[in-house]
């Protein structure tokens, strides 16, 4: 399999890095020359990676083409390119529906959308795909878990959930700052909190039959500190604020899809 990338930003770099670490059976990875520094860096990692002469070279040379470009320039980049009928396309472009992508590409080819996360570089990512795609399932399964969505609404909902990364680190930073306010050094706070949150996530992965609420209760002693903190957090509007934020981002995605 030959895989190409139009656009060589952070996520494209993470996917290429993950594929190389996983020793995925790829005969060539062709990256566009637009981000010269990233493209050169990737080409120096492995002889499997080649910098394309231009975006058309990436398309022509690849069996699967990843579109890893910004929404603002996507149409201008894609319209001049020629995609042969048997080409498979994986779009990482947020909010652009598949019919719009087909119109820009000018071919009724196989297109699937995906939301890979940076963790694919370390082979522990979880990637949402729509519609179900055998080739993308094969590719992303090599770098972690894959969730194939049945509807575009389901896909968009997971895209909203993916926006929680900043909130997660914001919560961790708030905890670290509070620890620092008590006299704890920041490096010690981070050394504690990072494996603390990692352990909680691992507990959920090792108990797929349990809901997050089951896990919350299981990690809580009646009247204990865990129960007190969550109750005060909830009473102060913490859970409501999170739901409100999720709904607001979902509305942004809906509006962006309608405007595309």
């Amino acid at each position: 399999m030959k895989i190409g990338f139009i656009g060589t930003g952070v996520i494209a770099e993470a996917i290429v890095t993950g594929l190389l670490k996983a020793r995925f059976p790829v005969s060539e990875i062709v990256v566009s020359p637009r981000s010269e520094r990233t493209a050169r860096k990737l080409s120096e990692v492995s002889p499997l990676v080649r910098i394309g002469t231009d975006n058309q070279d990436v398309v022509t040379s690849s069996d699967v083409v990843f579109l890893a470009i910004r929404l603002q320039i996507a149409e201008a980049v894609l319209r001049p390119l020629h995609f042969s009928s048997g080409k498979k396309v994986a779009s990482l472009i947020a909010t652009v529906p598949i019919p719009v992508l087909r119109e820009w590409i000018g071919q009724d080819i196989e297109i699937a959308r995906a939301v890979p996360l940076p963790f694919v570089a370390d082979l522990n990512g979880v990637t949402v795909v729509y519609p179900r795609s055998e080739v993308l399932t094969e590719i992303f399964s090599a770098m972690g878990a894959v969730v194939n969505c049945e509807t575009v609404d389901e896909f968009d909902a997971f895209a909203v959930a993916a926006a929680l990364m900043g909130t997660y680190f914001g919560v961790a930073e708030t905890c670290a700052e509070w620890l620092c306010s008590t006299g704890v050094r920041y490096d010690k706070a981070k050394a504690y909190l990072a494996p603390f949150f990692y352990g909680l996530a691992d507990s959920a992965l090792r108990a797929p039959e349990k809901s997050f609420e089951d896990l919350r209760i299981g990690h809580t002693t009646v009247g204990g500190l865990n129960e007190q903190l969550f109750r005060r957090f909830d009473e102060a509007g913490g859970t409501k604020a999170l739901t409100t934020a999720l709904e607001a981002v979902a509305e942004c995605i809906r509006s962006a899809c309608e405007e595309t």
Side-chain angles (χ1 to χ4, degrees):
M1 183 187 299
K2 294 183 178 181
I3 299 177
F5 290 84
I6 296 179
T8 45
V10 174
I11 295 300
E13 181 179 1
I15 296 171
V16 173
T17 301
L19 288 172
L20 294 173
K21 280 185 182 178
R23 299 187 178 181
F24 187 78
V26 57
S27 56
E28 186 177 51
I29 297 174
V30 188
V31 296
S32 63
R34 181 175 176 83
S35 299
E36 182 182 353
R37 186 173 141 206
T38 303
R40 186 171 61 253
K41 178 171 133 187
L42 292 172
S43 69
E44 291 171 352
V45 171
S46 169
L48 291 174
V49 181
R50 174 174 71 83
I51 302 174
T53 55
D54 53 26
N55 287 332
Q56 185 59 61
D57 181 28
V58 174
V59 174
T60 303
S61 304
S62 307
D63 302 310
V64 181
V65 181
F66 279 82
L67 308 181
I69 45 182
R70 290 181 292 111
L71 169 63
Q72 293 83 351
I73 64 171
E75 182 176 5
V77 170
L78 293 177
R79 281 197 181 277
L81 301 177
H82 172 70
F83 289 74
S84 59
S85 59
K87 204 72 65 178
K88 292 180 172 60
V89 171
S91 174
L92 313 183
I93 308 170
T95 74
V96 180
I98 289 174
V100 173
L101 289 169
R102 283 206 178 98
E103 199 269 321
W104 290 351
I105 288 172
Q107 283 277 9
D108 187 17
I109 57 177
E110 181 179 327
I111 301 176
R113 297 172 63 190
V115 184
L117 302 175
F119 328 124
V120 294
D122 299 313
L123 310 185
N124 62 356
V126 54
T127 303
V128 179
V129 174
Y130 172 79
R132 182 178 295 273
S133 167
E134 290 184 12
V135 67
L136 291 192
T137 297
E138 180 185 0
I139 290 171
F140 285 115
S141 291
M143 297 176 282
V146 177
V147 177
N148 278 293
C149 295
E150 304 305 321
T151 67
V152 69
D153 289 339
E154 187 177 56
F155 177 81
D156 286 343
F158 278 113
V160 172
L164 280 167
M165 286 188 291
T167 303
Y168 165 81
F169 286 114
V171 168
E173 181 67 12
T174 300
C175 293
E177 289 175 355
W178 182 85
L179 285 169
C180 290
S181 75
T182 70
V184 176
R185 291 201 322 263
Y186 187 87
D187 60 334
K188 281 189 174 182
K190 186 177 179 184
Y192 174 79
L193 290 170
F196 173 79
F197 285 119
Y198 181 88
L200 291 175
D202 187 58
S203 295
L205 286 172
R206 289 187 289 105
E209 75 285 357
K210 292 185 178 181
S211 69
F212 287 117
E213 179 67 4
D214 290 336
L215 291 166
R216 183 188 72 79
I217 294 171
H219 285 72
T220 299
T221 301
V222 177
L225 299 180
N226 278 291
E227 183 183 68
Q228 290 182 47
L229 197 150
F230 180 77
R231 176 167 49 81
R232 290 177 183 274
F233 174 78
D234 186 47
E235 290 173 351
T239 53
K240 183 177 180 181
L242 178 57
T243 301
T244 299
L246 290 167
E247 287 290 349
V249 174
E251 181 55 37
C252 286
I253 289 179
R254 285 192 288 267
S255 297
C257 290
E258 290 171 0
E259 293 172 3
T260 304

